[in-house]
Amino acid sequence: MEPNIEEVAGRIRALREDMGLTMQEMADATGRSVSEYAAQESGEQDLSFTFLYKCAQRLGVDVIELLTGEDPHLSGYSLVRAAEGLSIKRRAGFEYLHKAPHFKNKLAEPFLVTAPYLEEEQTRPIHLSYHEGQELDFVISGKMRFAYEGHVEELEAGDLLMYDSGRGHGMIATGGEPCVFLAVVMKPGGEII
């Protein structure tokens, strides 16, 4: 199942209006201009996971509620089989498969991500994203170029990154094939284990 952009945007708008928040407040919370925010809330522009995550934080809901309209309901454990999960296709062909969409009160958001190999990205600067918390990325197959502020790292299957995702980070697939990796986005304010 893949969420419909217009429906997701409609849920964001409805929650914002129900809470009495202005577009300016949501633009500030998501790190966008009011016009950029308005284009995403209206469904005119694609919704990145970072945008959805920041909206969910500001609106006080689980990101899955924005994507599906349903509140996660499992509390003991959640089992999601290999090919299952909540599919999210975003950012230049990146495919995200949320691997625990029905588990409530998550301290982390686990995704199986497939980054496409795009020849035109190989010589351009890598787009950087920012979201509060930390992220762990484990490369399952393929190769990845990871940019973190002024640093660039080349990764391959079996390599693991963990980083402060509030600082600029981004990645592309290299080596002529897609890169598949497990991304675990950890929310800020979780208890330290």
Side-chain angles (χ1 to χ4, degrees), residues 115-152:
Y117 175 82
L118 300 172
E119 186 64 41
E120 63 272 15
E121 289 185 334
Q122 304 306 304
T123 56
R124 284 192 268 172
I126 296 173
H127 170 76
L128 301 181
S129 296
Y130 306 80
H131 52 88
E132 287 185 38
Q134 295 178 345
E135 187 166 332
L136 178 146
D137 296 337
F138 178 78
V139 180
I140 296 169
S141 65
K143 295 181 180 182
M144 171 196 295
R145 180 170 300 131
F146 173 76
Y148 189 82
E149 296 183 328
H151 304 277
V152 175

Side-chain angles (χ1 to χ4, degrees), residues 42-150:
S42 69
E44 293 172 27
Q45 284 186 1
D46 200 9
L47 308 175
S48 70
F49 176 74
T50 300
F51 174 78
L52 292 169
Y53 184 75
K54 288 179 178 181
C55 283
Q57 281 186 307
R58 180 63 182 97
L59 296 168
V61 298
D62 191 293
V63 71
I64 299 304
E65 190 171 340
L66 292 181
L67 292 169
T68 66
E70 297 176 19
D71 198 17
H73 54 277
L74 298 176
S75 60
Y77 74 95
S78 172
L79 171 63
V80 178
R81 300 288 181 188
E84 296 175 352
L86 179 63
S87 178
I88 308 166
K89 293 183 180 168
R90 300 286 176 262
R91 197 187 136 216
F94 271 57
E95 293 183 22
Y96 296 79
L97 190 60
H98 196 297
K99 297 302 287 182
H102 303 297
F103 192 79
K104 68 180 180 179
N105 301 322
K106 291 181 284 297
L107 299 178
E109 304 284 349
F111 296 92
L112 183 63
V113 182
T114 302
Y117 175 82
L118 300 172
E119 186 64 41
E120 63 272 15
E121 289 185 334
Q122 304 306 304
T123 56
R124 284 192 268 172
I126 296 173
H127 170 76
L128 301 181
S129 296
Y130 306 80
H131 52 88
E132 287 185 38
Q134 295 178 345
E135 187 166 332
L136 178 146
D137 296 337
F138 178 78
V139 180
I140 296 169
S141 65
K143 295 181 180 182
M144 171 196 295
R145 180 170 300 131
F146 173 76
Y148 189 82
E149 296 183 328

